[in-house]
Each structure stands twice: as C-alpha cells, then as structure tokens.
Amino acid sequence: MRKAREVLVIGGNRYFGKRLIARLLAAGDRVTVLNRGSSAAPPGVVHLVADRNDEKSLTAALGARTFDVVVDQVCYTPRQARIARRVFAGRTRRYVLTSTVEVYEYEDSVAPVRESDVDPLSVAVNLELPWDDPEFLENHYGEGKRQAEAVLAADPAFPYTAVRVAHVLGGDDDFTGRMAHYASRIRAGEPIAVPMVNHPATYIHVEEIADFLFWAVGQDFTGPVNAASHGLLTTEELCAEIAAHIPHGRTVFGRVEVGEVSPFAFTRAYGMDNSRATRLGFRFTHTRQWLPKAVAETLGKDGG
C-alpha cells in the first residue's frame, strides 16, 4: 500500500487546481492548501492563510511543517519565486511550479518548441521591474514565469520542476471567457479577428492537466517539462467545433495586419513538443479526442 504523502498546494482553489486537490485526496494524500483566505479551502484539507508575497507571513503560517511535495499554482514573478526558494529550501522533497507555454513568447519555430529552447539558467532575472503592478504583470505574464523558473533553477540543490502548461480548455467552470468570446461572435455572425498568418497552437484538456500535475507530484525528475495534448489546433478548427454546438451559428473571420486579435489567434508558431513527458511515462491524449467534449462542457449543450 502506498504511503500517504504530505502535499502543500499554494493557491489552486479553482479550475484545474481544485481538480488536482480532489485527485490527491482521493489517493489518500494529506493535503494542505495555502492561500490569502479570500476563498474557502475544499473539505478534507488543512487550510493555511498567508500572503505568499510576504516572507514573514508565509514562514509564520507554515510553522515547523515539512512536505513531500509543494505544488505552487500562483507563482507569477521572480520575487515570489525567490521567497518560495528561501522558505521551502529544506522543507520539501519536491517543488512543482505550474508554469506556462507563454515562456516561449520569444521563440518562433516551425517545429514544436522543446524545453531546451528556453533554458532557465540562461534567462536574465530583473527583480527591480514593477512586478507588483497588476497591469505590468498581465502584460508580462510569460516573462514573469520565465524569470520565476530562472530563480528556482539558480540553486542546483533546490529540487524543482516547472510544468509548462499548454492552453487549457474544457470544464463548465472555465473562468477565462475565451471560448465564450468565440461563441458570442459566431452566434451573432460577427467577424472573428485573426492575424493574416494565423499559426496553430498546443492545448490540453482541464482534466488532463490535473492528471498530469497529479502524476508529476509522484515523480522525481527536475527542470522544465512541457504538458500538452498531442496534436495542434488552429483557430479555425476550434471555431468549427464551437459553431457545431450553436444552432444556425455562422463563422466569419476577419484578417487583420495590425491591432488586437481574438484569443487563441497567434502571429507566430505556438506549439510545444511533449516528448520529454512522454519519455518519462505520461500518456497524453489527442486534442481531437476531447475537443467536442471540452466545447460542450464550457458552452453547454445548446451553445451556452
């Protein structure tokens, strides 16, 4: 019988984070959830309240606790990563950072990008940037994650992995509104703005990324790892599936040379190579297996 693990999840009370917590509890793990207290923790967990941006607050909330694994769902900046590295050094056997495909924002390749295309050890860290400014952080989301990874990687004794998550789809609790944006325009027959050259991207279903993170908790590999379902999706393919769920929906694309484009419309290649995770033993599904289900979940059977 497998020994129960002590797992700390920082943030993660919604979307795939709450699904990860459910999987950990179902497996018999002892789960602690740490957040600012603005939302209740799910039943069955120990709930700690602290501001993860405040090292003294975080240290006080943790007390003498140690963990087998820490899953950090809400580390967005190098400042937060520096605090986490200091606080959790010696407290955990493994630290799992949920990172993002956005770390590849400066890479543009016809071939899917591999983990080695962004080596955290080669990323410059600037702690003086206005990381506390919400607008700056929103506009530099990928860079914040790049630099957070770099801070963790700088200490070779710190046992971290950075899960670079593809664009997540599915679930009736998708809070992003991105699929709803397409549905509203298709329903109204309004143009969907895409670049003149619109590249496909990698995606993953909300249940699959929860599965992946649960799997990663039990592994011992370190460094970055890409998490994406097999198969790229174009904006056109995504919209075709959405339109199939909307009676009398009409998809119209408007090609733009400059200006804002729709969500999931990309001016550059945005695909991730998932072969490292595959070699390590995770079995991904194909986007075509779950795309109809993802659209139905998010929009409802009548196109929401």
Side-chain angles (χ1 to χ4, degrees), residues 112-125:
V113 287
R114 296 169 295 186
E115 291 86 354
S116 58
D117 290 326
V118 175
D119 178 0
L121 293 175
S122 68
V123 173
V125 174

Side-chain angles (χ1 to χ4, degrees), residues 28-49:
D29 294 317
R30 293 185 289 269
V31 181
T32 301
V33 172
L34 185 145
N35 60 28
R36 292 173 298 178
S38 56
S39 58
V45 308
V46 175
H47 187 198
L48 302 179
V49 176

Side-chain angles (χ1 to χ4, degrees), residues 10 16 20 71-76 95-100 141 145 149 161-165 209 213:
I10 305 176
F16 59 82
L20 167 63
V71 183
D72 196 341
Q73 296 276 74
V74 289
C75 181
Y76 302 115
Y95 181 95
V96 180
L97 168 71
T98 52
S99 189
T100 173
Y141 175 69
K145 288 289 192 180
E149 288 189 22
T161 186
V163 178
R164 294 172 176 171
V165 182
I209 188 56
L213 289 169

Side-chain angles (χ1 to χ4, degrees), residues 246-270:
I246 299 174
H248 313 298
R250 188 166 63 95
T251 306
V252 179
F253 292 101
R255 304 281 173 178
V256 297
E257 292 189 24
V258 293
E260 188 173 350
V261 296
S262 301
F264 303 137
F266 305 108
T267 58
R268 59 182 181 77
Y270 225 137

Side-chain angles (χ1 to χ4, degrees), residues 16-31:
F16 59 82
K18 72 179 185 182
R19 290 168 169 81
L20 167 63
I21 291 170
R23 283 161 171 75
L24 292 168
L25 291 172
D29 294 317
R30 293 185 289 269
V31 181

Side-chain angles (χ1 to χ4, degrees), residues 111-299:
V113 287
R114 296 169 295 186
E115 291 86 354
S116 58
D117 290 326
V118 175
D119 178 0
L121 293 175
S122 68
V123 173
V125 174
N126 187 346
L127 297 169
E128 303 309 313
L129 291 173
W131 295 114
D132 295 329
D133 180 349
E135 183 177 356
F136 177 86
L137 185 56
E138 182 178 358
N139 292 330
H140 297 83
Y141 175 69
E143 183 60 26
K145 288 289 192 180
R146 282 167 70 101
Q147 293 193 28
E149 288 189 22
V151 168
L152 300 178
D155 181 357
F158 192 73
Y160 93 101
T161 186
V163 178
R164 294 172 176 171
V165 182
H167 304 291
V168 182
L169 295 176
D172 60 4
D173 55 340
D174 179 357
F175 62 92
T176 66
R178 293 175 295 194
M179 201 180 293
H181 165 86
Y182 283 119
S184 65
R185 301 193 77 81
I186 290 171
R187 194 177 296 109
E190 296 175 348
I192 293 168
V194 295
M196 297 299 290
V197 179
N198 189 26
H199 291 275
T202 39
Y203 294 85
I204 192 165
H205 189 265
V206 63
E207 300 291 347
E208 187 162 37
I209 188 56
D211 287 340
F212 187 92
L213 289 169
F214 175 76
W215 169 80
V217 162
Q219 303 301 306
D220 58 7
F221 64 84
T222 58
V225 62
N226 291 338
S229 299
H230 298 304
L232 300 174
L233 285 176
T234 65
T235 311
E236 291 80 1
E237 289 169 327
L238 178 57
C239 287
E241 189 60 52
I242 294 172
H245 288 75
I246 299 174
H248 313 298
R250 188 166 63 95
T251 306
V252 179
F253 292 101
R255 304 281 173 178
V256 297
E257 292 189 24
V258 293
E260 188 173 350
V261 296
S262 301
F264 303 137
F266 305 108
T267 58
R268 59 182 181 77
Y270 225 137
M272 288 198 298
D273 183 319
N274 63 12
S275 59
R276 184 184 187 216
T278 300
R279 289 195 304 271
L280 288 167
F282 189 82
R283 298 182 64 181
F284 291 102
T285 60
H286 196 283
T287 54
R288 286 297 175 187
Q289 290 178 247
W290 54 255
L291 182 59
K293 175 186 175 184
V295 173
E297 289 169 344
T298 303
L299 300 182

